[in-house]
Amino acid sequence: MAQSHYFAAALLFGVGVVATNASAAGLAASDLAAQVRTQGFTCDKPQGAEKNDSASRPNEEVWILTCENGSYRMTVVPDMAAKIEKLDK
């Protein structure tokens, strides 16, 4: 019986992590879209953002932002303007 409680707790924790990651992705998309707009690009209705872990480095995150009207590769460095590249659809 104790094992089933551990399993249930682990399952609930895992669901919480997935929900948190999904929420973080939505938050990241709206934050990145705001950054894109402040730098002169258009991002109508952000659809999502995905971090590219293999291209990211410490203090330099690479994201793919998908908007209704296009996609962007963004290199984000704290306290600096992002490097933004418009991607072909």
Side-chain angles (χ1 to χ4, degrees):
M1 189 72 158
Q3 285 181 328
S4 64
H5 289 292
Y6 290 122
F7 177 75
L11 181 61
L12 288 174
F13 176 75
V15 169
V17 169
V18 170
T20 301
N21 288 343
S23 299
L27 182 60
S30 59
D31 288 345
L32 292 170
Q35 180 68 34
V36 163
R37 289 185 204 109
T38 63
Q39 289 186 230
F41 294 87
T42 303
C43 179
D44 298 328
K45 298 181 185 172
Q47 306 294 309
E50 185 175 330
K51 185 176 175 189
N52 183 336
D53 289 323
S54 62
S56 296
R57 293 184 257 170
N59 293 321
E60 187 174 297
E61 295 182 344
V62 178
W63 290 84
I64 303 298
L65 172 67
T66 304
C67 304
E68 183 178 68
N69 59 306
S71 297
Y72 301 93
R73 178 181 296 115
M74 300 179 66
T75 303
V76 181
V77 179
D79 302 320
M80 294 181 69
K83 177 182 174 188
I84 301 171
E85 303 168 65
K86 182 144 176 57
L87 302 175
D88 295 329
K89 272 196 162 182

